[in-house]
Amino acid sequence: MEVKNSRLESIVEQMAEAVIATSETVDRLAEQIDALTARLNQQAQQVQQQGYQIVALSNAVQTLAENQDQSLERLNYIADTLRILMSQQTENHHSKS
């Protein structure tokens, strides 16, 4: 009977050690999962910020394109006005001659 008790005690002790080792492993895995979750959340925030930056850059490029179109229209207007003035000046010069 004493041998059986000793064997049972040994088995229970081994089981207890296995439970403790398993608990420690689960704790380490939980810490690693928490760290990964924190990293993923940080990366998600970075991706969101990059999305906002892309939208802002897109808006800026659109504004620049619109401004360039307006500038070209103004330059064309100025060029047309200069052509008119030059032709008027040429006409005035010819009429005086």
Side-chain angles (χ1 to χ4, degrees), residues 54-65:
I54 288 170
V55 170
L57 284 172
S58 175
N59 290 339
V61 167
Q62 183 176 356
T63 300
L64 284 171

Side-chain angles (χ1 to χ4, degrees), residues 9-77:
E9 285 177 9
S10 175
I11 290 171
V12 169
E13 187 177 322
Q14 288 174 359
M15 287 175 64
E17 289 172 359
V19 167
I20 290 171
T22 301
S23 294
E24 290 172 352
T25 300
V26 168
D27 287 345
R28 283 194 303 273
L29 287 173
E31 289 171 0
Q32 290 175 354
I33 288 172
D34 288 344
L36 284 172
T37 301
R39 276 193 231 145
L40 286 174
N41 287 335
Q42 184 181 19
Q43 287 177 349
Q45 288 176 348
Q46 289 173 346
V47 167
Q48 186 178 28
Q49 286 297 320
Q50 289 171 349
Y52 293 147
Q53 290 170 349
I54 288 170
V55 170
L57 284 172
S58 175
N59 290 339
V61 167
Q62 183 176 356
T63 300
L64 284 171
E66 290 169 359
N67 288 343
Q68 183 180 10
D69 287 345
Q70 291 173 358
S71 294
L72 285 173
E73 287 176 16
R74 289 179 187 154
L75 284 172
N76 285 334
Y77 175 76

Side-chain angles (χ1 to χ4, degrees), residues 74-90:
R74 289 179 187 154
L75 284 172
N76 285 334
Y77 175 76
I78 291 170
D80 290 342
T81 304
L82 285 172
R83 279 189 209 101
I84 292 168
L85 289 174
M86 291 294 288
S87 69
Q88 287 176 354
Q89 187 176 13
T90 304

